[in-house]
Amino acid sequence: MKNKSYLFKKNLRAWYKNNRREFSWRETKDPWKIYLIEILSQQTQLQRANKYYDKFILEYPNPKKMAQDSKRRILKLWSGLGYNNRAIRLHESAKILREKSFNDLYPDFKQLPGVGDYTNSALLSFAYGEKVIATDVNIKRVIGRYFKKDSVDKFIKNNTKELLYRFNSRDFNQALMDLGSKICTNRNPKCTICPLEQECMKYINEESKKQEPFKNSNRKKRGQIVNILINAEKVHSSELAKKLNIEENKLNKLLKDLERDGVLYISNNKYIEIKSN
Ligand code: SF4
């Protein structure tokens, strides 16, 4: 476990350094800002929630401001985001926070409407720097797959100390959220470009099931394909086959793997390019 978690953290940290998503609230320690984005992003994609965050924080830089405002105005600002009961809960929380600060509630923010285990952990980690893992769906998926654990909650609970040893919990949580949403997605995870691929139990198990005798050389070839494509606008498959010195049918299989992972796009006339977002 020690070696596996060491490599997990080492590769995750290196990937996060160059691939983190930037949001204005990412560096804040203000619990109100963290609470706001957490409520906005429940059942909503982060990019979309972020647009609403910008509007809300401008209007309500602190809970007192929101508590003074009417439900009608808050719902108007919320309009288009859906699940309006979240706006109601936010308003109710603001009224509580007008009387009591986050520090008064610490460490149990579940006294606020809409705060469950996950949001409580997110507040403890992002606002208070506590050594806790904010077990959202992305984090659970990556850890569950990498360590091949069915009972992920139990595994995280028993191994939090080890996983967060020499790793700031804010960075750990945010890195896993980003990896889970960009690479280790629910459907069609992009294992071929994942920084955790070498040690990931899900990936290793699935690859060995395929009984692919040239697994390592295929992995290397896929890496070479991506390298060629990031330095060119598009390349024809025959040219790729020549550059890599492999037969076209073998190349096609590798290209299909990368296409399935959402890494590249293959046109009808067999030109290959990196898939745009
Ligand atoms: S190798 Fe695949 S399954 Fe494993 S963590 Fe990476 S994307 Fe997820």
Side-chain angles (χ1 to χ4, degrees):
M1 166 68 192
K2 264 212 160 83
N3 190 40
K4 202 164 169 59
S5 68
Y6 169 77
L7 289 171
F8 177 80
K9 291 190 283 183
K10 181 172 172 262
N11 293 325
L12 179 67
R13 203 195 301 266
W15 177 85
Y16 183 58
K17 205 171 155 206
N18 298 317
N19 295 281
R20 55 176 282 156
R21 293 179 293 180
E22 298 295 344
F23 296 109
S24 60
W25 38 265
R26 271 248 150 131
E27 294 306 324
T28 188
K29 288 192 174 158
D30 179 341
W32 170 244
K33 290 181 177 171
I34 292 159
Y35 176 64
L36 186 57
I37 186 62
E38 290 300 338
I39 297 293
L40 287 164
S41 60
Q42 283 171 2
Q43 294 142 314
T44 302
Q45 283 199 334
L46 209 47
Q47 306 284 0
R48 188 165 153 70
N50 189 49
K51 286 190 184 146
Y52 280 78
Y53 171 85
D54 289 342
K55 287 198 285 179
F56 268 81
I57 207 64
L58 211 63
E59 199 78 21
Y60 309 117
N62 53 56
K64 203 172 163 196
K65 276 263 179 201
M66 181 179 279
Q68 284 164 352
D69 214 345
S70 69
K71 202 176 281 175
R72 180 187 291 273
R73 276 210 69 223
I74 293 165
L75 280 169
K76 202 168 170 203
L77 209 59
W78 190 276
S79 168
L81 197 58
Y83 301 102
N84 291 318
N85 54 344
R86 287 182 293 163
I88 308 292
R89 289 201 298 256
L90 196 56
H91 194 209
E92 284 167 10
S93 294
K95 287 183 196 162
I96 295 172
L97 290 164
R98 181 171 50 185
E99 311 301 328
K100 286 180 176 180
S101 70
F102 278 96
N103 286 350
D104 293 333
L105 301 178
Y106 172 89
D108 181 14
F109 308 108
K110 288 192 227 167
Q111 300 167 57
L112 297 173
V115 175
D117 286 338
Y118 162 71
T119 309
N120 201 61
S121 311
L123 278 162
L124 287 173
S125 167
F126 302 146
Y128 291 88
E130 297 275 343
K131 287 268 183 199
V132 290
I133 297 179
T135 46
D136 87 330
V137 63
N138 283 321
I139 293 183
K140 281 204 231 181
R141 184 171 57 250
V142 180
I143 291 181
R145 284 174 174 172
Y146 181 89
F147 292 97
K148 192 95 184 90
K149 297 290 167 196
D150 293 329
S151 179
V152 190
D153 287 317
K154 195 169 159 202
F155 175 79
I156 290 175
K157 196 169 167 227
N158 292 340
N159 292 283
T160 296
K161 205 170 161 196
E162 166 76 26
L163 289 167
L164 291 180
Y165 178 65
R166 293 196 173 162
F167 210 137
N168 172 305
S169 77
R170 164 192 290 264
D171 289 346
F172 181 90
N173 287 320
Q174 290 182 348
L176 278 181
M177 285 172 189
D178 287 1
L179 188 82
S181 88
K182 287 166 102 171
I183 307 274
C184 191
T185 44
N186 187 22
R187 289 171 59 195
N188 303 326
K190 300 172 182 61
C191 301
T192 46
I193 55 164
C194 177
L196 308 179
E197 175 211 8
Q198 296 262 344
E199 291 287 320
C200 174
M201 289 314 292
K202 173 179 161 59
Y203 184 75
I204 291 167
N205 284 354
E206 286 181 4
E207 285 291 288
S208 62
K209 264 189 232 149
K210 285 187 205 160
Q211 294 181 330
E212 194 177 54
F214 302 111
K215 186 175 77 179
N216 287 333
S217 75
N218 280 348
R219 184 185 300 159
K220 206 167 146 194
K221 286 272 187 271
R222 283 193 295 258
Q224 288 171 337
I225 292 170
V226 173
N227 273 342
I228 291 172
L229 291 172
I230 52 179
N231 291 310
E233 206 175 308
K234 54 175 82 165
V235 179
H236 196 268
S237 68
S238 60
E239 197 187 331
L240 261 182
K242 216 184 283 170
K243 281 188 176 178
L244 295 165
N245 196 22
I246 55 172
E247 294 155 15
E248 280 224 36
N249 60 349
K250 198 170 172 202
L251 173 68
N252 287 340
K253 190 183 169 310
L254 297 173
L255 292 175
K256 284 280 165 213
D257 285 347
L258 287 164
E259 187 185 38
R260 188 196 59 222
D261 286 349
V263 178
L264 51 79
Y265 167 74
I266 308 171
S267 72
N268 289 340
N269 52 3
K270 293 194 146 191
Y271 274 95
I272 328 292
E273 60 188 291
I274 295 287
K275 192 174 179 186
S276 55
N277 287 332

